[in-house]
Amino acid sequence: MTELGLTHFLILSAFLFACGLLCIATKRNAVGILMGVELVLNAANINFVAFTRYLPGFRIEGQVFAVLVIVLAAAEAAVALAIILNFYNNRGTVDVDQANDLKG
Amino acid sequence: MNLDFVLFTILATLIAASAVGVVSSATIVRSAVFLLFTLIGVAFLYFLLGAEFLGATQLIVYVGGTLVLVVFGGMLTTAGPFNVLRTKTAEWVLSGSVAAGVFALLVSISLQLGARPTSTGDIPGPGPLGMAFLTTHLLPFEIVSVHLLVVLIGAAYLARAKKKAGSP
Amino acid sequence: MVESLAEYVPQSLAMILAALAAAGLVFGFIGTSTFLFIWAERKISGRIQDRLGPTRVGKFGLLQSLADGIKLVTKEDFVPTGADRLLFRIAPYVAFCASFAGFIALPFAEGVVAQPLNVGAFFLLAVLSSEVFGVLLAGYSSANKWSLFGGVREAAQVVSYEVPRSLCVLVPICIAGTLNLNTIARQQEGWFWNWYVFHDPFTFLAFVIFFIVATASCKRAPFDLAEAESELVAGFLTEYSGMRWSYFFLAEYASMFAVSGLASLLFLGGWHTGLLPFEPAERFGPLFGNLVDVGVFITKGSLLVLVMMWMRWSLPRLRIDQVMLTCLKYFLPISCGLLIGVCVWQLYMPKVLAEGVRVVLAVGFVVAAIVVVLSAARLKPSPQLSGAFTKP
Amino acid sequence: MPEFLREVPGRLFLVATLLPLFAFAVLLAAGTVRRFRSPLPGYFASFLLAVAASCSVIGLSWFLQDAESLRDQSKAMAARWGERVEWLHLGGWKADARPARSIDLGYRIDHLTALMVTMVTVVGTLIFLFSLGYMKDEQAEVEDHHAHVRRRGRFGRFYLYLSLFAFSMLNILIADNLFQIFVGWELVGVSSFFLIGFYTERRSASTAANKAFIVNRVGDAGLLVALAVAWFHVGSFNLDELFAKAAHLPADAILLLGLGIFCGCAGKSAQVPLHTWLPDAMEGPTPVSALIHAATMVAAGVYLVGRCWVLFTPDVLLVIAYLGAATMILSALVAVVQTDIKRVLAYSTCSQLGFMMLALGLGAWTAALLHLLTHAFFKALLFLGAGSVIHGLHHEQDLSKMGGLRRKMPVTAYTMFVGVLAIAGMPLLSGWYSKELILSHVIGSAAADGVARPLLTFLPFLTAGLTSYYMFRLWFLAFAGEPRDRHLFEHAHESPAVMTLPLLVLAAFSVGVAWGWPVWSVESSQLAKVLHHAQPPVLDVKYHAIHGKAEEHHLLTTALALGVAAFGFAVAIARHRAGTLLTPPRPAVLAQVLRKKFYFDELYAAAFTQPTVELAKLSAAADKRPDVRPFNLRSLDGVLNAIADSLVALGTVVRRLQTGQLRTYILALGLTLAAGLGILLRLSR
């Protein structure tokens, strides 16, 4: 395993993904959850780029989708922050546990 | 044991460590700083893989744009200095076991993939990428453009300063 | 360099050694140039304010910066109570690293670059825009409301100015058709009307806008709202002292030179003099020719930095809302218009006409510069003003 | 000539069809602009239809030239004057499925289609023009005296519906398959619904619209059955394929097919027993009546019977003939006692349609369709004339209040007189040629067939006489004599030029549209000759004897027809002199029966409407009875309630999962992901 290969990147991205999941699941701060989402997206992106390098079928597509993911992540962050700011203005907190108006 | 592998190991350690930092930090701005290191690490990982354009995009969009926004949002929404929202230990255990399970599964899948053909050579640069965006992948490109416009308007609308009820 | 080293040591080791050498060179350049720039700034401000500036240490006070540096290094390094210690400590390094990383992709002459990147211009913009992080963290972690204000202002300002800056960079890139700074500079060799700044009216305007916007994104006066000592004490710098404080200044001067270098590479022909009918590297051999090129490039960059200083000491500071308004309501639409304009120009302008416009622009610029210099030389210091300082 | 027309000149007709659709679409979009008060929609739609008319006139002339030069090359003709595209591909996605079928869209131009499209667009254009004047009030706010409301004018909407109407009719005409015809058929139905109920505030109008729509649905059900039969047995809706395979169909299938198609046609063309909607349809604005009666809706039925003539077995043809005869005589009798100017015309249309159906049933194909074409012109003329009268009298339709109007509105009076002459069968006018042809075939078939059908022979002549009588009666009542309502007469005025011009043009058409050389010979009618090309070839063989006999006896026919027409005229003028045109016929019972229109409406009410209402009332009452209600709650209602209750219970349980805690959801998501991955991993081993 001393030759750098696709598996290394996949494992790294799996770890990043798990961290992102954990972050989303444990953070009570809405901004923290947003960060977890960014981690997850980055994990996916690492896979895309690694595929670009190691799989012939992903030469362009991997990069294309990585760029799209980055752009959409930025858009998502903008909207999420707008929502968080609104939530903060209404509740005076960003604790997502307080956001349970839709509780069944 | 070549240079690429060493560099990867260093970068992976940086990324993994700061990802753990993101999760474990109690204050939101500290999390953001660790996230910054993660993102920069990922950007350099792209450089290592040869995807220079992506690496630069990651830096300019994620680090220079998104993360600044996140930190900004974090600062604006912390009521007191270094505000902390604690999580219960039980939740940590539960979430941690789920995340560990997912990680284990993903790793086992990755290992199952086995040996893959090694590097397929240089990754296409910005030129082919741009051509791809204007030819074969035009539709996603346009969709993303429209999406961005919608987000621009939507975020501005959501975050606009609202007049308090009753005031003129 | 790697190739020549690889004859003696293994390839990997050669690469590491080369990287270390490049890092050392860049760091050395940043340190030296910052010392000189600080001295120059004090001298220039002195002259503009009708005083002498530093004179005591060394010839013309040249060693003033060294003396200051020794003082800063020996100063006590403390962290305010209530501050986030970790973030407070790393903030200056984050800011400095970003500026430092910019130099990795900045070619000083043909091939004289730490890491030749195909997306050099893009990379440079990317790392320079992450410098804001250091400031933001410094402002936040100081546990001081003036610092926080400074940090948040800086974040808002830099994120906004980044957009017109990138758009203005796209204008010459549209003409060059590459993001590789080396290639862009090489495309502008020959006489000075081959520089992209004289390519067409849009690039000319783009250069002006880029320079202003770059000044703003280096948080230099008249856009230095993050420090704004008349409002925020010293902004994000309030709680800093000693070495950490000086790292912020290293970062500031380094990024000033970085954006000036970028401007000269994109618009002003890079390391080409524009006045020599031959290539120094061809005429004088690679070593000496490259040295000439590096000299030309550093001169151009330094001249632009000097212009920034000139601006700092001549123009009054804007209010924060004015800063944002200038960016979002003026620079952003103008730079969008320039980008569209240059695309249309490239598509529809006949070759001959484009050549003519280039020469006219270049000659007009030179004439204008001469007129400005001559009229400035004829101006005498106002007797009232000079009198105000001499008389007690 | 544009490139796309040079290859396939049939596209001229396609363009003519699509132009009204375009007008419809534009007006529909423009309708969203509120307070759009201007005559612009009318001008726009009329202009487009005029363009369509010129397209079809050009197309007709090209077609006739082409048909002359490519006489024996039916393939070349079909290629130049028809196109098909696959619209829906059905079946065939399984390997073992039956061969894939597809529903095609297409058009096919032959002599009949070319003539009909030209007629519809020309008459339609004139009606559109006429409406510019007639509906002028709708451009501003309208005070509706019948419904007692003030409302916004609906000028644009009127032209919107008219355009849709024109498009649907043209679509029926150019279609080369039953499916497309059916689509047009329903569109005609719905646009007639909109137009008859144009004054939605009036109860009578909305009732009439409903009636027209529902009665037409009865007929359409038959057409749908025919479609199903065609799809099942032939597997295609294409008319040519249908005709080619008709002979090989099982006997019951072809019988059902023919009856179904005729049922649809009877609904659209107002044949007994589905005729009751047509007189009520007079509630719509008068130009609409003109459009329905002359060019579009009722013509569709006759056209389709003519088009699908090959599909009818002799039995079905006999049914058609008898029903046509019944329609013809019953409507003519009713028309005699009507005092509403539009209703007289409506019943006369009914009667004339019966005439055409009878002729089709007897095999006088060319004669029937010739009558359809000529009738279109003079009936449009008559209706527009009636519209002009109504307009001039400020919306008074009662004949008993008119009289002497020829002094006030001479153009209307004399153009309408031309129309009356034409419909009555005055020699050398267009109606004469067609009616004469039909009657001669009636005689011919009586003489040629071994079987005697006295009703079919006798009734047409009786009807011809009655037609002559009631049409002259109408004219005398309206235009001749002394005014019966002074006040109305004083305020009467001639209509503006935009309304009289179409009248003049239509009068000219009514006179000469069927002319040939020599003019006095029925056989030489140019229109009939052109139409004859479209006649299914099988007719020539089958009905050769009848044609022979018809020609043999045509002098007798002429004498008889002219005789009855003159008799009708004589009676009318005598009663006019005596002033008894308005007095009901002698036996009071007869008068009552006629006035009640043979009790058709009452019969339908008693047979269908009333029982339904009673059954509904009975069910409602039963549901409320204390002894039935518990049973109901346990049985039918109980089942439904049980379903609802169990859903509520399920919702209550599932609701608990909705904690509102974001992190719980994420955990669930993670768990699902892990489980899914695990399952995939196991499966892949």
Side-chain angles (χ1 to χ4, degrees), chain B residues 15-34:
Chain B
I15 292 171
S18 48
V20 171
V22 173
V23 178
S24 58
S25 292
T27 56
I28 203 69
V29 178
R30 238 181 226 215
S31 283
V33 173
F34 283 117

Side-chain angles (χ1 to χ4, degrees), chain C residues 112-189:
Chain C
V112 183
V113 54
Q115 173 65 39
L117 284 177
N118 271 330
V119 290
F122 195 32
F123 177 81
L124 206 58
L125 286 180
V127 290
L128 285 181
S129 68
S130 21
E131 190 197 332
V132 58
F133 245 93
V135 177
L136 195 55
L137 289 181
Y140 170 77
S141 60
S142 299
N144 177 327
K145 71 177 164 187
W146 305 122
S147 303
L148 187 61
F149 274 139
V152 172
R153 276 183 176 188
E154 166 76 1
Q157 182 182 329
V158 171
V159 169
S160 309
Y161 273 87
E162 206 176 296
V163 181
R165 190 176 65 174
S166 310
L167 286 172
C168 285
V169 167
L170 278 183
V171 170
I173 282 174
C174 264
I175 300 166
T178 174
L179 287 166
N180 191 329
L181 285 173
N182 218 345
T183 319
I184 293 175
R186 208 182 312 129
Q187 282 170 354
Q188 305 175 58
E189 68 184 11

Side-chain angles (χ1 to χ4, degrees), chain D residues 12 122 160 168 325 354 359 633 683:
Chain D
L12 263 176
V122 169
L160 172 81
S168 352
L633 278 182
L683 284 182

